[in-house]
Amino acid sequence: MKYLFFAGVAIVVVLQACSNEVYNNESYIRTSNLNGRKLAILPVDVEFTGRLPKGYTLDNKKDTEDRESTEIQNMVYREYLFRAKNGRKKQQSVEVMNIEQVNSKLRSKGIDPRESWNISPDSLGKLVGADMVMRVRVKKDRIMSNAASIGVGVATTVLENIFSRGGSSGTSTNVGTGGKTYNIYFDATLSDVKSGTVISKISKNGDASWNHSPEDVIRNSSGKMVRKGAVHAQY
């Protein structure tokens, strides 16, 4: 009976931990004063895979990854600034370093954003003078174009109408979500520069379509990390 009781408790704890999708290192947070410390959001590691557009070259792929690395880095930074006034009670207030400051300090050390993807986060944190760093990795696996996704959505809606009306096609003003354009994998880890300890973490898979863009998926995931992680930006 004791075994069953503790097993049940363990299951509940696991489910609660998974329900909000953000892991927080509670023992570290309870024993650490993070208030006022500097947080650097590192250049984002972006990988573009799947059925790439026709005529897409390796140079096109590299340019897209490099551009989106900075765009997503800024997106996460803006999420912290946007939510600075609404930090949760359990969150600690930190100074989030300006993205330009972070990237310029890395460049002054001869490290461009792409090169930084392969350097340990704690080493990068020390170079930019941060107490903690956020390393973000994004994988965008392309399945089809927006136009093809809309076509799948229209076809799906028509078929649903046919079957729901017993064979009558009818009309509909509601186009379905359509086929997936991308599978998006988003991983963000907030860690202590000095010890390398993970403070907060999220790993999330999401689907994009013509009416739910990859940017929406990534923004939702980064917003969840900012809202439910251990720290918020100083206001």
Side-chain angles (χ1 to χ4, degrees), residues 190-203:
L190 177 67
S191 60
D192 184 299
V193 168
K194 188 174 181 179
S195 65
T197 303
V198 172
I199 304 170
S200 298
K201 182 176 178 63
I202 183 173
S203 293

Side-chain angles (χ1 to χ4, degrees), residues 42-69:
L42 301 175
V44 177
D45 183 344
V46 178
E47 183 181 7
F48 194 18
T49 64
R51 301 179 63 180
L52 302 183
K54 187 176 181 180
Y56 217 67
T57 66
L58 288 177
D59 285 340
N60 293 145
K61 178 178 180 293
K62 180 179 180 296
D63 289 343
T64 298
E65 292 171 341
D66 290 345
R67 184 186 71 254
E68 294 195 3
S69 171

Side-chain angles (χ1 to χ4, degrees), residues 21 43 45 59 65 85-88 91 105 108 113 125 131 147 155 158 170 176 179 182 185 195 200 208 210 221 229:
E21 298 173 320
D45 183 344
D59 285 340
E65 292 171 341
K85 291 188 293 185
N86 301 310
R88 294 186 301 114
Q91 289 181 313
K105 283 190 174 185
S108 71
D131 301 299
V158 170
Y182 289 87
Y185 173 72
S195 65
S200 298
W210 71 271
S221 297

Side-chain angles (χ1 to χ4, degrees), residues 93-217:
S93 176
V94 300
E95 177 187 343
V96 182
M97 298 175 66
N98 184 280
I99 296 303
E100 288 299 323
Q101 182 184 12
V102 172
N103 293 351
S104 64
K105 283 190 174 185
L106 291 178
R107 288 193 179 93
S108 71
K109 305 293 183 181
I111 302 170
D112 67 26
R114 179 174 284 268
E115 289 174 331
S116 75
W117 302 350
N118 298 313
I119 300 174
S120 67
D122 54 337
S123 296
L124 295 172
K126 291 171 184 175
L127 289 175
V128 302
D131 301 299
M132 62 192 78
V133 289
M134 179 169 289
R135 164 63 59 85
V136 179
R137 299 181 188 277
V138 173
K139 182 176 180 180
K140 297 175 61 178
D141 186 40
R142 186 177 186 270
I143 299 171
M144 66 175 79
S145 67
N146 279 348
S149 175
I150 293 172
V152 171
V154 171
T156 300
T157 300
V158 170
L159 289 173
E160 287 176 349
N161 283 334
I162 290 173
F163 287 114
S164 65
R165 296 171 183 265
S168 174
S169 60
T171 58
S172 175
T173 58
N174 178 34
V175 177
T177 57
K180 290 190 294 185
T181 53
Y182 289 87
N183 288 319
I184 307 292
Y185 173 72
F186 180 92
D187 180 274
T189 303
L190 177 67
S191 60
D192 184 299
V193 168
K194 188 174 181 179
S195 65
T197 303
V198 172
I199 304 170
S200 298
K201 182 176 178 63
I202 183 173
S203 293
K204 186 171 172 57
N205 288 303
D207 298 333
S209 64
W210 71 271
N211 64 347
H212 190 50
S213 69
E215 291 74 24
D216 290 336
V217 176

Side-chain angles (χ1 to χ4, degrees), residues 34-41 75-88 90-98 132 134 190 223 225-235:
L34 305 178
N35 287 302
R37 294 192 184 183
K38 287 187 177 182
L39 163 61
I41 302 166
M75 182 188 294
V76 177
Y77 176 66
R78 289 194 298 270
E79 285 291 327
Y80 271 107
L81 297 187
F82 178 70
R83 302 178 190 280
K85 291 188 293 185
N86 301 310
R88 294 186 301 114
K90 289 186 177 181
Q91 289 181 313
Q92 299 188 50
S93 176
V94 300
E95 177 187 343
V96 182
M97 298 175 66
N98 184 280
M132 62 192 78
M134 179 169 289
L190 177 67
M225 177 66 164
V226 172
R227 291 195 313 272
K228 299 184 177 182
V231 301
H232 71 91
Q234 291 177 349
Y235 176 67

